[in-house]
Amino acid sequence: AKPEPLKIMISGAPASGKGTQCELITKKYGLVHVAAGDLLRAEIASGSENGKRAKEYMEKGQLVPNEIVVMMVKERLLQPDAQENGWLLDGYPRSLSQATALMEFDFWPDLFILLEVPEELLVERVVGRRLDPVTGKIYHLKYSPPESEEIAARLTQRFDDTEEKVKLRLHTHHQNVEAVLSLYKDVILKVDGSVSKEDVFAQIHRALTKLLEDKKATSGSL
Ligand code: AP5
């Protein structure tokens, strides 16, 4: 039988490198990347009422209310591409109630990746982050500079990427993280996120390779 596709969650403080690792993981493993923050930013860009409300909370670095976030994430995970290829859930769940809402639909991860980065690095990562609106790629002025002048000229910055706002986002993260971690403690992989992005990915790649081998062995397809 074909092994079940991978189901992965990735978590960590603001700017710990979740989006960057998701780019590398999806490229290698073909999982569908579902990022709560990206779904919310798309909702803001659409000009909807939910988008307007979400932005008020994001501006303050607070969690957007569940009635906006939960359905958005659930619906995306239920799409056929995520069901067939497996999913990589980024920035969700951020509270116990968000986790419970997923469990009601039988969404449980094979692995919960936690990126650990010392706080003094996070602020530097946030203020130096830039995004390419054309490709969606994440850059950093110092650590991952753009490849050409043309790309450099079109880079944008997120509205919540200031030193002041990242401190609010960090505060919210600290308030909620323990409750979520305790729920997934049996499937947690703690990763040192302070090293280069390639070295962070090497740690994740090792774990995912092992997980896939185990899945193949249990499904009898090895
Ligand atoms: P969200 O968009 O999820 O933001 P976040 O959690 O604050 O995380 P970031 O996207 O800022 O960082 P990242 O970890 O992806 O880092 P990145 O790879 O870009 O959420 C935004 C807001 O939406 C929240 O504040 C909240 O209001 C709302 N929201 C989201 N989810 C919600 C939910 N479930 N419920 C309610 N509300 C929700 O890296 C950062 C920078 O560092 C980049 O420039 C990158 O190039 C660089 N970098 C990455 N890795 C390395 C490395 N190893 N070495 C050097 N530099 C690196």
Side-chain angles (χ1 to χ4, degrees), residues 3 18 30 59 71 74 89 102 106-107 139 152 169 211 218:
K18 300 182 289 296
E59 295 265 16
M71 277 316 288
K74 261 193 216 164
L89 185 52
L102 271 196
D106 270 345
F107 287 116
Y139 290 95
R169 284 155 61 196
L211 195 60
T218 23

Side-chain angles (χ1 to χ4, degrees), residues 96-178:
L96 210 50
S97 59
Q98 289 188 0
T100 317
L102 271 196
M103 280 158 68
E104 281 167 15
F105 278 70
D106 270 345
F107 287 116
W108 185 259
D110 300 309
L111 195 68
F112 184 102
I113 300 169
L114 175 68
L115 297 178
E116 297 186 304
V117 179
E119 218 151 295
E120 59 273 18
L121 287 182
L122 296 173
V123 175
E124 191 196 8
R125 284 192 186 179
V126 156
V127 294
R129 170 167 46 193
R130 296 294 182 275
L131 303 166
D132 183 345
V134 176
T135 61
K137 202 171 160 197
I138 304 164
Y139 290 95
H140 190 281
L141 295 178
K142 183 167 156 196
Y143 300 114
S144 291
E147 297 89 351
S148 68
E149 281 297 317
E150 190 192 345
I151 298 174
R154 66 183 187 222
L155 293 183
T156 59
Q157 209 175 357
R158 251 168 60 176
F159 66 83
D160 55 352
D161 272 356
T162 61
E163 187 167 345
E164 177 209 351
K165 289 200 171 129
V166 77
K167 287 192 172 145
L168 299 173
R169 284 155 61 196
L170 264 170
H171 178 70
T172 304
H173 170 76
H174 289 312
Q175 277 179 323
N176 296 291
V177 65
E178 285 308 325

